[in-house]
Amino acid sequence: MIDVYVSDTAHQTHRTRRLRHVKDYNPEDDSEFWINKAQSVLSAKLARKAITGPAKNVIMFLGDGFSIPTLAAARAYLGQSQGAPGEETELSFEEFPNTGLSKTYCVDSQVADSACSATAYLSGVKANIGTAGVTGRVKVDDCAAMRNTSNQVSSILKWSQDAGKSTGVVTTTRITHASPSGTYAHIANRDWENDAEVRNSGQDPDICDDIAEQLVNRIPGKNIKVSICRYEEYIIL
């Protein structure tokens, strides 16, 4: 037999923090609490009628770096800021009738960046890391492949415009940044936000249209009705 000693200090700390919220009687201690809660949720889901009519609006909200651990931390923080234990808290969008998960990885990278992941969730096609609005046939800095229209993919924003809908992009970063650029740009390098960056990478900006130029002069960028960004840079002297 092998004896394994595990320090209980951290566990005791966690218990102490949560027990501060527990009153003399805690319904969570009874199995009926959890069974009834589960049955209540299932009954509500089964009783909900499906929406069969066409959607009036579609809003895609992205929290950069959003993951399951991020959601867990947000629940705990929100609940504890309201005087509750925290874990049982539900975020607003968790109350939606339907939810799901998406895999965020690049064709050439397990860990996705904002460019290839934007391409995935906006167009349904996965791309190489550092590229946006193109297929996996476009490698980073490959201007020729980027310009090949067969390697370009359309986003839900373009599909909406084709259906006669008004479209907009609102972001807390630069409008030419990787995440928002996935709605309108086809680019071989997410850093090509302006012609200077294209030139700095050894490419010709007259041939390789940068992200800003695509926003202003190309479809679907130039047909966007609302384009808002709130970006601030702080310089510490």
Side-chain angles (χ1 to χ4, degrees):
M1 180 181 293
I2 300 176
D3 293 329
V4 178
Y5 173 75
V6 179
S7 174
D8 197 44
T9 303
H11 298 154
Q12 185 59 41
T13 300
H14 297 159
R15 282 197 293 269
T16 302
R17 290 189 61 192
R18 203 173 197 286
L19 286 173
R20 288 182 303 177
H21 302 281
V22 177
K23 300 178 180 180
D24 294 337
Y25 171 69
N26 181 16
E28 292 183 356
D29 292 340
D30 298 328
S31 62
E32 289 81 3
F33 170 84
W34 301 105
I35 294 173
N36 292 336
K37 184 178 178 65
Q39 290 299 318
S40 176
V41 172
L42 288 173
S43 297
K45 294 288 185 181
L46 293 172
R48 189 184 299 273
K49 295 182 179 180
I51 300 174
T52 58
K56 180 179 180 180
N57 300 299
V58 176
I59 299 174
M60 294 193 66
F61 180 88
L62 167 70
D64 207 354
F66 231 20
S67 63
I68 299 301
T70 306
L71 293 178
R75 290 190 206 103
Y77 178 81
L78 177 61
Q80 291 172 9
S81 67
Q82 297 172 344
E87 295 89 344
E88 74 292 341
T89 303
E90 287 188 348
L91 303 176
S92 58
F93 54 83
E94 292 182 293
E95 299 177 3
F96 288 174
N98 298 291
T99 58
L101 299 173
S102 67
K103 293 182 179 180
T104 51
Y105 63 90
C106 307
V107 171
D108 61 344
S109 175
Q110 291 179 336
V111 179
D113 76 323
S114 298
C116 73
S117 58
T119 306
Y121 61 71
L122 290 168
S123 71
V125 177
K126 286 182 168 58
N128 290 313
I129 193 168
T131 67
V134 292
T135 69
R137 294 186 180 277
V138 179
K139 309 299 181 183
V140 173
D141 289 344
D142 191 341
C143 178
M146 177 192 88
R147 287 167 51 84
N148 187 337
T149 57
S150 65
N151 295 333
Q152 299 175 0
V153 295
S154 297
S155 73
I156 188 174
L157 182 137
K158 177 63 164 59
W159 308 340
S160 299
Q161 290 183 1
D162 291 344
K165 306 295 184 180
S166 296
T167 57
V169 179
V170 179
T171 178
T172 57
T173 185
R174 300 182 300 277
I175 195 66
T176 54
H177 206 268
S179 293
S181 74
T183 62
Y184 60 85
H186 309 288
I187 203 74
N189 188 325
R190 58 175 289 175
D191 293 332
W192 290 354
E193 297 185 48
N194 53 66
D195 55 2
E197 294 297 337
V198 176
R199 190 177 295 107
N200 289 340
S201 65
Q203 302 288 342
D204 186 350
D206 291 331
I207 298 176
C208 301
D209 292 342
D210 59 77
I211 296 174
E213 183 169 347
Q214 294 187 38
L215 171 64
V216 175
N217 295 327
R218 281 196 192 177
I219 295 174
K222 68 177 185 179
N223 290 336
I224 295 175
K225 298 296 184 181
V226 177
S227 180
I228 301 175
C229 66
R230 181 183 177 185
Y231 181 73
E232 298 176 351
E233 289 184 342
Y234 296 91
I235 301 176
I236 301 177
L237 301 177

